[in-house]
Amino acid sequence: MLPKTTKQWTLEGQSGFDSLTFNPSAPVPHLGERDVLVRFHSASLNYRDLVISKGAYPLPTIDSVVPVSDGAGTVEAIGPGVRRFKPGDRVVTLFDQGRIAGSPANKTENKSLGGTTDGALRQYGAYDEEGLVAMPETLDFQQASTLSCAAVTAWNALYGLVGNMVKAGDTVLTQGTGGVSMFALQFAKAAGARVIATTGSEWKAEVIKSLGADHVINYKAEPNWGTAAANLSPGSLGVDHVIEVGGPQSVAQSLKAIRVNGCISIIGFLGGPPTEQQPTFLECLSHKCVVRGVYVGSRMIYEDMNRAIDANAIKPVIDERVFTLEEAKEAYQYMVCQHV
């Protein structure tokens, strides 16, 4: 018998974590012709979830949305027209529900979970069958629940631009120990690339090394880390790929690190808002490189990535602390304190 109610969180306003509202008996969504009812076993937080709750996210959001884009669970029931899944299948959520392949159709198109479409911070959720992806066979629910945003973004950064895909022998520069950077490190090593990583913490440096990083630069001890990274590349010619998550505060150093015809993937803004000193487009020209904005990725990219995860036995790095659904506010606060 299908459940009639579900525990869930919604964002009522944008005043931070106080906007998170728990409902222990919300109605389970009605299933349409092509809808799939998912029973979530795990969900994971991203930096994006924090800034949405504070009203600082640069893309559209709606009120009373169920937050969090990343979730993994089992198919509980299906609509009469569903062909891709059956009850019992293990699935993960697709970040952008309308993006099956290629780039978004336009700049304003946005069906992102946890932003303009109800996400995964609940027991049960209904999604169009096209908005779900089969879980990697080698991962458990906790591991798989980390993939939809950070992992797909990292894969897109390394493989999403035809003619500039990462390959064996390339040098990849990652920044910090956030989800995108950690996945990019693992994906790059699986491709046979050399990885240079930055961090401001000695103990995090050990974690990065344990995942296979060839060089680690402490950006606090070496503020000119872009030049340092270039000097560590073969022939000191610069790195082939930069996974740029710091935004305006770090792009200048990324430009110092990149080689001619290399690719800087602009992904986040962890370093803070723009400043007057940030680089201009002309500096991209003078460095003769590609600078590309990456906004997660399509279902096709997701499925390609999942095959690689299974083939290479890649395991997401997960914090030892796990929270119950009812403890969502504590999980948000824990992430703010940079424990995750």
Side-chain angles (χ1 to χ4, degrees):
M1 183 174 179
L2 294 181
K4 291 184 169 53
T5 62
T6 177
K7 297 177 182 179
Q8 71 176 29
W9 290 87
T10 55
L11 275 174
E12 307 297 338
Q14 296 181 325
S15 58
F17 307 155
D18 289 338
S19 300
L20 285 166
T21 302
F22 184 66
N23 185 342
S25 57
V28 169
H30 172 74
L31 288 186
E33 178 78 11
R34 298 174 57 198
D35 287 343
V36 175
L37 183 66
V38 177
R39 179 188 178 192
F40 286 110
H41 298 289
S42 185
S44 68
L45 293 178
N46 293 282
Y47 179 70
R48 167 183 180 266
D49 300 309
L50 305 184
V51 296
I52 286 177
S53 73
K54 297 177 181 179
Y57 193 56
L59 297 176
T61 59
I62 61 171
D63 290 333
S64 302
V65 71
V66 176
V68 179
S69 59
D70 294 25
T74 52
V75 173
E76 192 80 2
I78 59 175
V82 172
R83 298 292 180 266
R84 297 186 64 237
F85 300 103
K86 64 183 184 303
D89 285 349
R90 304 195 311 160
V91 295
V92 285
T93 50
L94 177 64
F95 179 95
D96 186 342
Q97 291 287 287
R99 191 174 173 188
I100 306 305
S103 299
N106 56 63
K107 292 181 180 179
T108 59
E109 182 179 5
N110 184 14
K111 298 179 181 178
S112 62
L113 295 187
T116 58
T117 304
D118 285 339
L121 203 57
R122 50 183 170 170
Q123 280 182 305
Y124 295 92
Y127 302 92
D128 188 287
E129 64 173 329
E130 303 295 344
L132 295 169
V133 180
M135 263 180 60
E137 296 179 359
T138 56
L139 300 186
D140 61 30
F141 288 113
Q142 283 188 14
Q143 293 167 333
S145 73
T146 67
L147 301 177
S148 300
C149 183
V152 175
T153 300
W155 187 266
N156 191 358
L158 294 173
Y159 287 101
L161 185 61
V162 175
N164 229 317
M165 298 180 183
V166 68
K167 59 186 181 299
D170 279 358
T171 302
V172 177
L173 174 62
T174 64
Q175 300 172 355
T177 53
V180 173
S181 297
M182 298 297 264
F183 278 116
L185 190 167
Q186 292 174 286
F187 294 155
K189 293 305 297 182
R194 179 185 298 101
V195 175
I196 303 169
T198 68
T199 182
S201 164
E202 290 302 324
W203 74 265
K204 288 182 179 179
E206 295 305 314
V207 174
I208 294 171
K209 290 176 183 176
S210 73
L211 292 173
D214 298 275
H215 303 281
V216 179
I217 301 171
N218 188 318
Y219 60 78
K220 293 180 179 178
E222 179 49 84
N224 195 22
W225 49 266
T227 299
N231 289 336
L232 288 169
S233 68
S236 299
L237 296 177
V239 305
D240 299 278
H241 293 268
V242 177
I243 308 301
E244 172 54 68
V245 298
Q249 304 292 337
S250 57
V251 170
Q253 290 297 321
S254 293
L255 285 167
K256 292 180 180 180
I258 200 69
R259 68 164 178 83
V260 172
N261 292 327
C263 183
I264 300 175
S265 293
I266 304 290
I267 292 164
F269 45 93
L270 293 174
T275 66
E276 293 181 0
Q277 290 75 39
Q278 65 180 330
T280 66
F281 289 118
L282 284 177
E283 292 182 64
C284 302
L285 173 62
S286 65
H287 286 82
K288 304 177 184 66
C289 64
V290 175
V291 179
R292 173 179 178 245
V294 175
Y295 184 62
V296 198
S298 67
R299 196 183 79 201
M300 182 178 293
I301 285 176
Y302 204 154
E303 290 167 342
D304 288 346
M305 179 195 75
N306 284 351
R307 285 190 288 270
I309 286 173
D310 282 338
N312 293 281
I314 293 172
K315 303 297 183 185
V317 179
I318 299 177
D319 192 90
E320 61 184 13
R321 182 76 188 272
V322 178
F323 297 84
T324 65
L325 179 62
E326 290 80 0
E327 295 173 325
K329 283 190 178 182
E330 288 87 344
Y332 272 70
Q333 185 60 51
Y334 186 76
M335 189 171 184
V336 166
C337 295
Q338 297 183 345
H339 291 299
V340 178

